[in-house]
Amino acid sequence: MRKKALSPASRRAYALKAVEGGLGSGRKVCYVLKVPRSSYWYRPQEKNSWEKRLLKRVMELSDKHPRYGYRRITALLRQEGLHVGKRRIQSLRRSLGLRVPPSRRKVVRRGHSTGLPVKAEHKGHVWTWDFICDGTTRGGALRMLTILDEYTRECHVLRADRALKSGDVLEWMGRAIQRHGAPAYLRSDNGSEFIAKAVQTWLSENRIKTIYIDPGSPWQNGYVESFHGRLRDECLNREQFWTLTEARVVIEDYRREYNTFRPHSKLGYLSPSTFAARRSAPSPSPVGLRPPCVGDGQHNNNQLQPKSTPED
């Protein structure tokens, strides 16, 4: 034996091979290899209807979501009414050879982060926006704008285009505010689309405060970076886009699935929309307005006038 057998299953497998090879009787081999005879003579029983249904559903979910691990698969099964433990699902997936390939090991950062002054405390408190890039099979560029609520993790906007300028950014921010209300703070990096004078003026007029992370410090904008990691792993790396229209359809489908279906580990394995519905959060602000009286006691009379565009 080149490899030391540690687990009961490994020792049993070696015992079966030894007996088949004529090295001794089952009793003798079990004594030498310290394998309980009850384990050696055990024969698995035929699965009942419930176990067959569970096994079939695990295979279906794992095939549909190949980047979901056993914890997320367990959460989906529980949502469907199947009362199972995560260790059982882990064992089933291992027996089926289902395994999520590990991602590239991340380098541990050695600096001291001072953090940011504002942390989201309720729905609509802090939003974050950023870009992620990809491309079509024919070589065309794809640039996607993401607008995310840091408290509920809901993705309000995930828009793909060939190029997105400051005017496009304001247009999609206006659509998100029309639907969900205006945030108190907006976190972003120092990209040219976010620090443009037109964007600064628009945000100032609508009393939305900005939080800019330090240059070269993407970890300070961790919520959107984490979302982009999931987006690339579960959607962009799995799909092959031939046209811009196809990319928009697939990416929008992923956004809807992420908001309404995908279990989020940091939300107790609830989807962002379910989490937002269960939390007692303040109602969104009116379109384009902060609440009538903000914390400094000043009343806000500014009206938001986004571009008149159809519903996304």
Side-chain angles (χ1 to χ4, degrees), residues 7-266:
S7 66
S10 300
R11 292 200 298 269
R12 179 176 181 271
Y14 280 124
L16 291 172
K17 289 182 179 179
V19 173
E20 290 176 0
L23 298 179
S25 64
R27 182 191 296 268
K28 188 64 175 179
V29 169
C30 289
Y31 175 78
V32 173
L33 297 181
K34 297 181 180 180
V35 177
R37 280 187 288 169
S38 59
S39 298
Y40 176 81
W41 294 108
Y42 174 78
R43 296 296 181 268
Q45 299 178 356
E46 185 178 355
K47 293 181 173 58
N48 57 36
S49 59
W50 186 88
E51 291 175 330
K52 291 180 179 178
R53 176 191 169 201
L54 175 64
L55 184 63
K56 180 181 178 182
R57 193 60 186 141
V58 168
M59 294 178 64
E60 290 174 351
L61 290 174
S62 299
D63 183 63
K64 183 179 180 181
H65 308 286
R67 296 299 301 177
Y68 284 12
Y70 70 92
R71 291 185 179 88
R72 231 169 232 112
I73 296 296
T74 303
L76 294 178
L77 291 171
R78 288 174 178 173
Q79 290 177 8
E80 296 177 1
L82 293 172
H83 301 287
V84 291
K86 61 181 181 180
R87 295 304 173 192
R88 181 167 191 175
I89 301 305
Q90 182 185 31
S91 177
L92 276 177
R93 283 170 55 85
R94 283 180 176 177
S95 66
L96 295 170
L98 299 172
R99 178 173 174 267
V100 179
S103 303
R104 185 178 61 182
R105 187 174 181 179
K106 297 181 180 179
V107 178
V108 179
R109 300 191 180 276
R110 300 282 181 183
H112 174 69
S113 177
T114 59
L116 293 173
V118 177
K119 181 179 179 180
E121 297 178 354
H122 55 77
K123 180 179 179 180
H125 187 199
V126 182
W127 285 6
T128 177
W129 54 356
D130 201 0
F131 288 103
I132 182 172
C133 298
D134 204 73
T136 56
T137 305
R138 298 174 180 176
L142 280 179
R143 201 149 191 246
M144 287 153 274
L145 170 67
T146 303
I147 301 178
L148 195 77
D149 189 312
E150 289 191 358
Y151 185 75
T152 64
R153 311 300 204 275
E154 288 179 287
C155 180
H156 296 325
V157 172
L158 186 57
R159 175 65 175 181
D161 213 328
R162 296 298 185 187
L164 290 165
K165 300 180 181 178
S166 58
D168 303 315
V169 169
L170 289 182
E171 176 183 347
W172 285 99
M173 175 57 72
R175 293 189 185 190
I177 290 177
Q178 277 189 321
R179 177 166 294 183
H180 305 284
Y185 297 90
L186 197 56
R187 195 189 315 274
S188 70
D189 57 25
N190 294 276
S192 58
E193 298 86 357
F194 303 136
I195 63 175
K197 186 175 293 185
V199 175
Q200 295 287 324
T201 302
W202 188 88
L203 295 175
S204 177
E205 289 176 352
N206 293 282
R207 302 179 67 85
I208 300 176
K209 299 179 181 179
T210 57
I211 305 172
Y212 291 105
I213 65 175
D214 297 333
S217 305
W219 57 88
Q220 293 182 357
N221 202 7
Y223 293 102
V224 74
E225 294 293 341
S226 175
F227 173 77
H228 284 168
R230 303 285 74 75
L231 170 65
R232 190 170 293 283
D233 188 37
E234 298 171 7
C235 179
L236 301 182
N237 288 348
R238 295 181 56 197
E239 301 291 345
Q240 197 173 37
F241 304 125
W242 289 91
T243 63
L244 175 61
T245 302
E246 180 188 3
R248 285 176 174 173
V249 172
V250 173
I251 291 170
E252 177 61 18
D253 287 344
Y254 176 81
R255 185 188 75 86
R256 296 179 185 276
E257 179 179 330
Y258 178 89
N259 284 343
T260 60
F261 175 77
R262 183 186 185 277
H264 200 296
S265 59
K266 297 299 182 181

